[in-house]
Amino acid sequence: MRPPLEVADIFRQYGHDFRFTHPLLPEQRRVMRAIERCRTASLGGHVEQCDACGHQRIAYNSCRNRHCPKCQSFAKARWLQARLADLLPVEYFHVVFTLPEQLAAVALQNKRVVYNLLFSATSETLRTIAADPRHLGADIGFLAVLHTWDQTLRHHPHLHCVVPGGGLAVNGEGWRSCRRGFFLPVNVLARLFRRLFLQGLERAYEQDKLSFHGACAFLAESTAFNRLLKSVRAREWWVYAKPPFGGPAQVLAYLGRYTHRVAISNHRLLSLQHGKVTFSWRDNRHGQMRSTMTLSADEFMRRFLLHVLPRGFQRIRQFGLLANRRRDELARCRQLLEAADQTVESLSQDYKSLYQTVTGTSLRQCPACRAGTMKFFSRLLALTNYGAPHTQQTVAAGFQAIDSS
């Protein structure tokens, strides 16, 4: 069922004026336009008709933008299905690497450089400490997912890493497992991560790969930038290892919570009244307490768009034994663990089959008579005069779209 309020509703109602009062990057404008048009007549679609009772249904096309709250369910299902073959019968650990708040503004103004550095520093940290014989002494693999938000949509860059509890022994003696319930010491991880990240950031500054403007313009001066580095170097950085969670079946369910998440889901939106957006959020600092927050529509859109990634940026990456170029070594791990190869179903199933897999509801069955089958009847062409404020007819037509999220 379609939620009573969607991010698209906010963009459609207030996005036109927002574009004129806020400086936006081209990718942010593309995301706004995609979300506004998603599953509306502006993207075209088709009409289906029941072969028994003649009932008709309109289905509009999706935007498929990775920032759209309505377009992630199918992408997630396909991605998780493809990952089935990578799972190993071992404990898995969830490790989170977070940038300190003092660097968030630098990251926001240099997303591609800083986010890439976050991935590389995290990868080198995990693999270096894991390979150390004093800790694990193994070559590991892991998956990392970039999130850039907190529960209130503020900028909060961090990586979620899902790591098998072991790896190939660096001395060639086969598979080496972690101690049960313990992966690697987080204090050691945090200090190496801090050093590697700051070294990379300093190198990027020296190579003129960073730009600063607005409130960060003063950091263009080397004295100010070095003072910032000194400040964050003196702090303890936050690396958090969550308790291990089950085997392969639990891992797939767990991954689904992180891989294709967007800054806020439509189901967290509570109301839009008098230019104010109210949404629910979870206060992690006070025992996961549920609360609500109200922001102006402009502030809500501004915060949402903070999390638009640079075009072509890969926010889900696999490292070590899970990297594509090391598939042969992953197969060796399975042999050492005496694990049967996972059978992966075909990924070519059409959207109706995938919809039924994800939701348990059939799009083939007629919703009116429950006896007939919905068949393709005619195609709907995309509207070419779709403007920013939109006509009420277009928006109303869009609301008839099938909602699968």
Side-chain angles (χ1 to χ4, degrees), residues 348-367:
S348 61
Q349 59 181 319
D350 62 31
Y351 82 94
K352 290 186 178 180
S353 299
L354 193 56
Y355 183 96
Q356 187 165 0
T357 300
V358 172
T359 67
T361 302
S362 173
L363 291 178
R364 292 186 171 87
Q365 183 184 54
C366 175

Side-chain angles (χ1 to χ4, degrees), residues 91-110:
E91 277 189 326
Y92 276 77
F93 295 83
H94 180 188
V95 187
V96 183
F97 289 79
T98 303
L99 288 186
E101 185 178 354
Q102 293 80 1
L103 293 178
V106 176
L108 188 60
Q109 295 189 7
N110 299 274

